[in-house]
Amino acid sequence: VLPFPSQVVYNRVGKCGSRTVVLLLRILSEKHGFNLVTSDIHNKTRLTKNEQMELIKNISTAEQPYLFTRHVHFLNFSRFGGDQPVYINIIRDPVNRFLSNYFFRRFGDWRGEQNHMIRTPSMRQEERYLDINVCILENYPECSNPRLFYIIPYFCGQHPRCREPGEWALERAKLNVNENFLLVGILEELEDVLLLLERFLPHYFKDVLSIYKNPEHRKLGNLTVTVKKTVPSPEAIQILYQRMRYEYEFYYYVKEQFHLLKRKFGLKSRVRKPRPRPEFFIPSPLETEEPIDDEEDDEKWLEDIYKR
């Protein structure tokens, strides 16, 4: 019997499929009887030391077993004397995440024609209809650093240097992925993410894939798709890749680790045809050697992670 972690934190990255996963968690929490603790705060990911202490205290005193979810950069519970929970997360291709967020802030999703007005009521019309190419090519703040440095801080943490695009934040984020996260999945392979979550955390995610594949749930999930998205020009995309090189180095690192994990548990990575967009501008990931088969027992490996 695998150890059962009674404290799980999903510090969800914005526009990386988290609303789909939270819909699933609402169903699963009723089905399996765990405490789903969600937050209505969506725009405060960086916290002061006192705010960190207060949030950790509130999370730690929640009824167990619990799964806490919020858009918040990594919190080090042990720094404040708390028990470090099991962390999970999902990321996606950085440019795709940026584009999804850009248009979502302006036009929302299929859940309601006016929900974007509720989210960004003070946005001026000229800003709302700002052409994405103009934003990128003319270096508007929304389309340049530090705002493009978005995914890494969720894993780097609350240190001020985690907000600065560079090697320090990148390496610290990688270290936290290795030491504090049970699983960081890739949105492009969501079904495999859900399969592994069901394997690693059955008390929370048992039957998650069958629920996800249910036509009624799929219909509900489609309502969270961002509307009015357009693809920037190849020149604009190339500039985005250059500005987001640290984000891509992190994304490819996580992707490689995820594929190693899939292989360990017998899941093959399906090769899909590239979508009709300028994929050839994406920088090539660093080559890695094929994983060496070892004799470590799968269940022992899981136990070691739970003990971290």
Side-chain angles (χ1 to χ4, degrees):
V1 178
L2 290 173
F4 172 40
S6 57
Q7 304 170 79
V8 178
V9 171
Y10 172 31
N11 63 322
R12 52 197 185 115
V13 182
K15 306 312 297 172
C16 289
S18 62
R19 284 180 298 152
T20 297
V21 176
V22 170
L23 282 174
L24 290 167
L25 285 170
R26 293 191 193 283
I27 298 169
L28 292 166
S29 64
E30 293 185 11
K31 184 178 177 71
H32 302 316
F34 63 85
N35 181 19
L36 178 62
V37 184
T38 59
S39 174
D40 294 328
I41 301 172
H42 303 292
N43 57 358
K44 190 170 179 57
T45 55
R46 305 165 183 172
L47 310 177
T48 65
K49 184 176 179 180
N50 286 337
E51 287 171 338
Q52 291 177 58
M53 292 173 64
E54 186 66 24
L55 181 57
I56 287 173
K57 179 183 174 182
N58 290 341
I59 296 172
S60 300
T61 55
E63 181 184 349
Q64 299 183 16
Y66 68 72
L67 189 150
F68 173 78
T69 178
R70 172 179 162 175
H71 294 301
V72 65
H73 296 168
F74 174 77
L75 291 163
N76 189 339
F77 282 58
S78 58
R79 180 188 174 202
F80 299 100
D83 293 330
Q84 193 71 357
V86 167
Y87 269 90
I88 59 173
N89 217 323
I90 301 171
I91 65 173
R92 73 191 288 191
D93 177 281
V95 165
N96 285 341
R97 194 220 67 83
F98 163 74
L99 295 175
S100 181
N101 184 64
Y102 183 89
F103 292 105
F104 178 72
R105 290 185 67 243
R106 286 160 170 77
F107 308 114
D109 53 32
W110 291 108
R111 289 177 298 175
E113 280 295 316
Q114 299 301 317
N115 69 1
H116 59 286
M117 299 296 292
I118 297 170
R119 289 179 180 275
T120 53
S122 61
M123 185 179 283
R124 301 189 308 275
Q125 285 298 93
E126 58 266 31
E127 184 184 357
R128 192 176 301 282
Y129 291 96
L130 175 64
D131 183 270
I132 183 70
N133 291 300
V134 172
C135 184
I136 297 167
L137 297 175
E138 297 188 11
N139 207 23
Y140 278 65
E142 186 177 359
C143 298
S144 57
N145 279 315
R147 294 196 192 177
L148 294 180
F149 193 69
Y150 183 87
I151 297 174
I152 287 175
Y154 275 86
F155 300 87
C156 178
Q158 297 289 335
H159 193 285
R161 291 187 68 183
C162 289
R163 308 165 200 172
E164 301 171 5
E167 292 288 339
W168 189 91
L170 169 65
E171 292 306 317
R172 182 160 171 158
K174 289 180 181 178
L175 185 66
N176 275 333
V177 166
N178 292 335
E179 293 187 351
N180 292 296
F181 282 80
L182 175 66
L183 176 69
V184 182
I186 300 296
L187 182 62
E188 292 85 354
E189 300 170 38
L190 181 57
E191 289 192 10
D192 287 341
V193 177
L194 298 178
L195 272 171
L196 288 177
L197 283 171
E198 184 169 357
R199 173 70 185 270
F200 297 165
L201 299 170
H203 295 82
Y204 297 89
F205 286 96
K206 190 174 187 301
D207 300 324
V208 65
L209 196 57
S210 60
I211 296 170
Y212 173 70
K213 287 183 173 182
N214 184 292
E216 288 302 312
H217 183 270
R218 280 294 178 94
K219 192 186 301 181
L220 191 62
N222 287 340
L223 295 177
T224 65
V225 175
T226 302
V227 299
K228 298 188 180 181
K229 278 197 289 189
T230 59
V231 178
S233 68
E235 181 188 2
I237 287 183
Q238 180 64 60
I239 289 172
L240 281 181
Y241 288 140
Q242 291 168 354
R243 291 176 184 169
M244 302 173 83
R245 67 186 187 92
Y246 292 112
E247 293 276 276
Y248 268 98
E249 189 171 339
F250 181 72
Y251 171 72
Y252 284 126
Y253 176 80
V254 168
K255 190 173 185 178
E256 288 171 355
Q257 298 303 309
F258 181 62
H259 284 172
L260 289 172
L261 198 56
K262 282 172 59 174
R263 176 167 174 165
K264 188 175 186 68
F265 286 89
L267 295 175
K268 292 183 179 180
S269 297
R270 292 179 290 277
V271 178
R272 295 173 180 162
K273 291 182 180 179
R275 283 179 283 177
R277 71 178 195 80
E279 296 282 358
F280 52 85
F281 282 101
I282 297 179
S284 299
L286 297 173
E287 292 295 324
T288 56
E289 296 179 2
E290 283 293 297
I292 300 171
D293 291 328
D294 54 40
E295 301 299 322
E296 182 183 8
D297 180 68
D298 288 346
E299 310 302 326
K300 176 68 167 58
W301 174 84
L302 271 177
E303 288 177 16
D304 290 343
I305 284 188
Y306 285 136
K307 289 175 183 175
R308 288 176 184 170

Coordinates of all heavy atoms in Angstrom, one line a residue, residues 2-54:
L2 N 0.7 2.1 -1.0 CA 1.5 3.3 -1.0 C 1.1 4.3 0.1 O 0.0 4.3 0.6 CB 1.2 4.1 -2.4 CG 1.8 3.4 -3.6 CD1 1.3 4.1 -4.8 CD2 3.3 3.4 -3.6
P3 N 2.1 5.1 0.6 CA 1.7 6.1 1.6 C 0.7 7.0 1.0 O 0.7 7.4 -0.2 CB 3.1 6.7 1.9 CG 3.9 6.4 0.7 CD 3.5 5.1 0.2
F4 N -0.1 7.5 1.9 CA -1.2 8.4 1.5 C -0.9 9.9 1.9 O -1.0 10.2 3.1 CB -2.5 7.9 2.1 CG -3.7 8.9 1.8 CD1 -3.8 9.6 0.6 CD2 -4.6 9.1 2.8 CE1 -4.9 10.4 0.4 CE2 -5.7 9.9 2.6 CZ -5.8 10.6 1.4
P5 N -0.5 10.8 1.0 CA -0.2 12.1 1.4 C -1.5 12.8 1.8 O -2.5 12.8 1.0 CB 0.5 12.7 0.2 CG 0.0 11.9 -0.9 CD -0.3 10.5 -0.4
S6 N -1.6 13.4 2.9 CA -2.9 14.1 3.3 C -2.9 15.6 3.0 O -3.8 16.2 3.3 CB -3.1 13.9 4.8 OG -2.0 14.3 5.6
Q7 N -1.7 16.1 2.5 CA -1.6 17.5 2.1 C -1.1 17.6 0.7 O 0.1 17.3 0.5 CB -0.7 18.2 3.1 CG -1.2 18.1 4.6 CD -0.1 18.6 5.5 OE1 0.0 19.8 5.7 NE2 0.6 17.7 6.1
V8 N -1.9 18.1 -0.2 CA -1.5 18.3 -1.6 C -1.7 19.7 -2.0 O -2.8 20.3 -1.7 CB -2.2 17.3 -2.6 CG1 -1.8 17.5 -4.0 CG2 -2.0 15.8 -2.1
V9 N -0.7 20.3 -2.7 CA -0.9 21.7 -3.2 C -0.7 21.7 -4.7 O 0.3 21.2 -5.2 CB 0.2 22.6 -2.5 CG1 0.1 24.0 -3.2 CG2 -0.1 22.8 -1.0
Y10 N -1.6 22.3 -5.3 CA -1.6 22.5 -6.8 C -1.5 24.0 -7.0 O -2.6 24.7 -7.1 CB -2.9 21.9 -7.4 CG -3.1 22.2 -8.9 CD1 -2.1 22.4 -9.8 CD2 -4.4 22.2 -9.4 CE1 -2.3 22.6 -11.1 CE2 -4.7 22.4 -10.7 CZ -3.6 22.6 -11.6 OH -3.9 22.9 -12.9
N11 N -0.3 24.6 -7.1 CA -0.1 26.0 -7.2 C -0.2 26.4 -8.7 O 0.7 26.7 -9.4 CB 1.2 26.5 -6.6 CG 2.4 25.9 -7.3 OD1 2.4 24.8 -7.6 ND2 3.5 26.7 -7.4
R12 N -1.4 26.3 -9.2 CA -1.7 26.2 -10.7 C -1.2 27.5 -11.4 O -1.4 28.6 -11.0 CB -3.2 26.0 -10.9 CG -4.1 27.0 -10.2 CD -5.5 26.4 -10.3 NE -6.5 27.3 -9.7 CZ -7.5 27.9 -10.4 NH1 -7.6 27.6 -11.7 NH2 -8.3 28.7 -9.8
V13 N -0.5 27.2 -12.6 CA 0.0 28.2 -13.4 C -1.1 28.7 -14.3 O -1.9 27.9 -14.9 CB 1.2 27.7 -14.3 CG1 1.7 28.8 -15.2 CG2 2.3 27.1 -13.4
G14 N -1.3 30.0 -14.5 CA -2.3 30.6 -15.3 C -2.3 30.2 -16.7 O -1.2 30.1 -17.3
K15 N -3.5 29.9 -17.3 CA -3.6 29.5 -18.7 C -2.9 28.3 -19.0 O -2.3 28.1 -20.2 CB -3.3 30.7 -19.6 CG -4.0 32.0 -19.3 CD -5.5 31.8 -19.2 CE -6.2 31.3 -20.4 NZ -7.6 31.0 -20.2
C16 N -2.8 27.3 -18.1 CA -2.2 26.0 -18.4 C -3.2 24.9 -18.1 O -2.8 23.9 -17.5 CB -0.9 25.9 -17.6 SG 0.5 26.9 -18.1
G17 N -4.4 25.1 -18.4 CA -5.4 24.0 -18.3 C -5.9 23.9 -16.9 O -6.6 22.9 -16.6
S18 N -5.6 24.8 -16.0 CA -6.0 24.6 -14.6 C -7.5 24.7 -14.3 O -8.0 24.0 -13.4 CB -5.3 25.7 -13.7 OG -5.7 27.0 -14.0
R19 N -8.2 25.5 -15.1 CA -9.7 25.5 -14.9 C -10.3 24.1 -15.3 O -11.3 23.7 -14.6 CB -10.3 26.6 -15.7 CG -10.1 28.0 -15.1 CD -10.7 29.1 -15.9 NE -10.1 29.2 -17.2 CZ -10.7 29.6 -18.3 NH1 -12.0 30.1 -18.2 NH2 -10.1 29.7 -19.5
T20 N -9.8 23.5 -16.3 CA -10.2 22.1 -16.6 C -10.0 21.2 -15.4 O -10.8 20.4 -15.1 CB -9.5 21.6 -17.9 OG1 -9.8 22.5 -19.0 CG2 -9.9 20.2 -18.2
V21 N -8.7 21.3 -14.9 CA -8.4 20.4 -13.8 C -9.2 20.7 -12.5 O -9.6 19.8 -11.8 CB -6.9 20.5 -13.4 CG1 -6.5 19.6 -12.2 CG2 -6.0 20.1 -14.7
V22 N -9.5 22.0 -12.2 CA -10.3 22.3 -11.1 C -11.7 21.8 -11.2 O -12.3 21.3 -10.2 CB -10.3 23.8 -10.8 CG1 -11.3 24.2 -9.8 CG2 -8.9 24.3 -10.4
L23 N -12.3 21.8 -12.4 CA -13.6 21.2 -12.7 C -13.6 19.7 -12.3 O -14.5 19.2 -11.7 CB -14.0 21.4 -14.1 CG -14.5 22.8 -14.6 CD1 -14.7 22.8 -16.1 CD2 -15.8 23.1 -13.9
L24 N -12.5 19.1 -12.7 CA -12.4 17.6 -12.4 C -12.2 17.4 -10.8 O -12.8 16.5 -10.3 CB -11.1 17.0 -13.1 CG -11.2 16.9 -14.6 CD1 -9.9 16.6 -15.2 CD2 -12.2 15.8 -14.9
L25 N -11.5 18.3 -10.2 CA -11.3 18.2 -8.7 C -12.6 18.4 -8.0 O -12.7 17.7 -6.9 CB -10.2 19.2 -8.3 CG -8.8 18.9 -8.7 CD1 -7.8 20.0 -8.4 CD2 -8.3 17.6 -7.9
R26 N -13.4 19.2 -8.4 CA -14.7 19.4 -7.7 C -15.5 18.1 -7.7 O -16.1 17.8 -6.7 CB -15.5 20.6 -8.4 CG -14.9 21.9 -8.3 CD -15.8 23.0 -8.7 NE -15.1 24.3 -8.8 CZ -14.7 25.1 -7.8 NH1 -15.0 24.7 -6.6 NH2 -14.1 26.2 -8.0
I27 N -15.5 17.4 -8.9 CA -16.2 16.2 -9.0 C -15.5 15.1 -8.1 O -16.1 14.4 -7.3 CB -16.2 15.7 -10.4 CG1 -17.0 16.7 -11.3 CG2 -16.9 14.3 -10.5 CD1 -16.9 16.4 -12.8
L28 N -14.2 15.1 -8.2 CA -13.4 14.1 -7.5 C -13.5 14.2 -5.9 O -13.5 13.3 -5.2 CB -11.9 14.1 -7.9 CG -11.7 13.6 -9.3 CD1 -10.3 14.1 -9.8 CD2 -11.8 12.1 -9.5
S29 N -13.5 15.5 -5.5 CA -13.6 15.7 -4.0 C -14.9 15.2 -3.4 O -14.9 14.6 -2.3 CB -13.4 17.2 -3.7 OG -14.5 18.0 -4.2
E30 N -16.0 15.3 -4.2 CA -17.2 14.7 -3.7 C -17.2 13.2 -3.8 O -17.7 12.5 -2.9 CB -18.4 15.3 -4.5 CG -18.6 16.8 -4.3 CD -19.9 17.3 -5.1 OE1 -20.6 16.4 -5.6 OE2 -20.0 18.5 -5.1
K31 N -16.6 12.7 -4.8 CA -16.6 11.3 -5.1 C -15.7 10.5 -4.1 O -16.0 9.4 -3.6 CB -16.0 11.0 -6.5 CG -16.0 9.5 -6.9 CD -15.6 9.5 -8.4 CE -15.5 8.0 -8.9 NZ -16.8 7.4 -9.1
H32 N -14.5 11.1 -3.7 CA -13.5 10.5 -2.9 C -13.5 11.0 -1.4 O -12.7 10.5 -0.6 CB -12.2 10.5 -3.5 CG -12.1 9.9 -4.9 ND1 -12.7 8.7 -5.2 CD2 -11.5 10.3 -6.0 CE1 -12.5 8.4 -6.4 NE2 -11.8 9.3 -7.0
G33 N -14.2 12.1 -1.2 CA -14.3 12.6 0.2 C -13.0 13.3 0.7 O -12.8 13.3 1.9
F34 N -12.3 14.0 -0.2 CA -11.2 14.8 0.4 C -11.7 16.3 0.3 O -12.6 16.7 -0.3 CB -9.9 14.6 -0.4 CG -10.0 15.0 -1.9 CD1 -9.8 16.3 -2.3 CD2 -10.2 14.1 -2.9 CE1 -9.8 16.7 -3.7 CE2 -10.3 14.4 -4.2 CZ -10.1 15.7 -4.6
N35 N -10.9 17.1 1.1 CA -11.3 18.5 1.2 C -10.6 19.3 0.1 O -9.4 19.5 0.1 CB -10.8 19.0 2.6 CG -11.2 20.4 2.9 OD1 -12.0 21.0 2.2 ND2 -10.5 21.0 3.9
L36 N -11.4 19.9 -0.8 CA -10.8 20.7 -1.9 C -10.9 22.2 -1.4 O -12.0 22.7 -1.2 CB -11.7 20.6 -3.2 CG -11.2 21.5 -4.3 CD1 -9.8 21.1 -4.7 CD2 -12.2 21.3 -5.5
V37 N -9.7 22.7 -1.2 CA -9.6 24.1 -0.7 C -9.2 25.0 -1.8 O -8.1 24.9 -2.4 CB -8.6 24.2 0.5 CG1 -8.6 25.6 1.0 CG2 -8.9 23.2 1.6
T38 N -10.1 25.9 -2.3 CA -9.8 26.7 -3.4 C -9.7 28.2 -2.9 O -10.1 28.5 -1.8 CB -10.8 26.6 -4.5 OG1 -12.1 27.0 -4.0 CG2 -10.9 25.2 -5.1
S39 N -9.1 29.0 -3.8 CA -9.0 30.4 -3.4 C -9.6 31.3 -4.5 O -9.6 31.0 -5.7 CB -7.5 30.8 -3.3 OG -7.4 32.2 -3.0
D40 N -10.3 32.4 -4.0 CA -10.9 33.4 -4.9 C -9.8 34.4 -5.4 O -10.2 35.3 -6.2 CB -12.1 34.1 -4.3 CG -13.2 33.1 -4.0 OD1 -13.4 32.2 -4.8 OD2 -13.9 33.3 -3.0
I41 N -8.6 34.4 -4.9 CA -7.6 35.3 -5.2 C -6.9 34.8 -6.5 O -6.2 33.7 -6.4 CB -6.6 35.5 -4.1 CG1 -7.3 36.0 -2.8 CG2 -5.5 36.5 -4.5 CD1 -6.5 36.1 -1.6
H42 N -7.0 35.5 -7.6 CA -6.4 35.1 -8.8 C -5.2 35.9 -9.3 O -4.6 35.6 -10.3 CB -7.5 35.0 -9.9 CG -8.6 34.1 -9.6 ND1 -8.5 32.8 -9.5 CD2 -9.9 34.5 -9.3 CE1 -9.7 32.3 -9.1 NE2 -10.6 33.3 -9.0
N43 N -5.0 37.1 -8.7 CA -4.0 38.0 -9.2 C -3.0 38.4 -8.2 O -2.4 39.5 -8.3 CB -4.7 39.3 -9.7 CG -5.6 39.9 -8.6 OD1 -5.6 39.4 -7.5 ND2 -6.2 41.0 -9.0
K44 N -2.7 37.6 -7.2 CA -1.7 37.8 -6.2 C -0.8 36.6 -6.0 O -1.1 35.8 -5.1 CB -2.3 38.3 -4.9 CG -1.2 38.9 -3.9 CD -1.9 39.5 -2.7 CE -0.9 40.1 -1.7 NZ 0.1 41.0 -2.3
T45 N 0.2 36.5 -6.8 CA 1.0 35.3 -6.8 C 2.3 35.5 -6.0 O 2.9 34.5 -5.5 CB 1.5 34.9 -8.2 OG1 2.1 36.1 -8.8 CG2 0.3 34.5 -9.1
R46 N 2.7 36.8 -5.8 CA 3.9 37.1 -5.0 C 3.4 37.6 -3.6 O 2.6 38.6 -3.6 CB 4.7 38.1 -5.7 CG 5.0 37.7 -7.1 CD 5.5 38.9 -7.9 NE 5.8 38.5 -9.3 CZ 6.1 39.4 -10.3 NH1 6.1 40.7 -10.0 NH2 6.3 39.0 -11.5
L47 N 4.0 37.1 -2.6 CA 3.5 37.4 -1.2 C 4.7 38.0 -0.4 O 5.8 37.6 -0.5 CB 2.9 36.2 -0.5 CG 1.9 35.4 -1.3 CD1 1.5 34.2 -0.5 CD2 0.7 36.2 -1.6
T48 N 4.3 38.9 0.6 CA 5.3 39.3 1.6 C 5.5 38.2 2.5 O 4.8 37.1 2.5 CB 4.8 40.5 2.4 OG1 3.6 40.1 3.1 CG2 4.3 41.7 1.4
K49 N 6.6 38.3 3.4 CA 6.9 37.3 4.3 C 5.7 37.0 5.3 O 5.4 35.8 5.5 CB 8.1 37.7 5.1 CG 8.6 36.6 6.1 CD 9.8 37.0 6.8 CE 10.3 35.9 7.8 NZ 11.5 36.3 8.5
N50 N 5.0 38.1 5.7 CA 3.9 37.9 6.6 C 2.7 37.2 5.9 O 2.0 36.4 6.5 CB 3.4 39.2 7.2 CG 4.4 39.8 8.3 OD1 5.1 39.0 8.9 ND2 4.4 41.1 8.5
E51 N 2.5 37.6 4.6 CA 1.5 36.9 3.8 C 1.8 35.5 3.6 O 0.8 34.6 3.6 CB 1.3 37.7 2.5 CG 0.6 39.0 2.6 CD 0.7 39.8 1.4 OE1 1.6 39.6 0.5 OE2 -0.1 40.8 1.2
Q52 N 3.0 35.1 3.4 CA 3.4 33.7 3.2 C 3.1 32.9 4.5 O 2.5 31.8 4.5 CB 4.9 33.6 2.9 CG 5.3 34.1 1.5 CD 6.8 34.0 1.3 OE1 7.4 32.9 1.4 NE2 7.4 35.1 1.1
M53 N 3.5 33.5 5.7 CA 3.2 32.8 6.9 C 1.8 32.6 7.2 O 1.3 31.5 7.6 CB 3.9 33.7 8.1 CG 5.4 33.7 8.1 SD 6.1 34.9 9.3 CE 5.5 34.1 10.8
E54 N 1.0 33.6 6.9 CA -0.5 33.6 7.1 C -1.1 32.5 6.2 O -2.0 31.7 6.7 CB -1.1 34.9 6.9 CG -2.6 35.0 7.2 CD -2.9 34.9 8.7 OE1 -1.9 35.2 9.5 OE2 -4.0 34.5 9.1

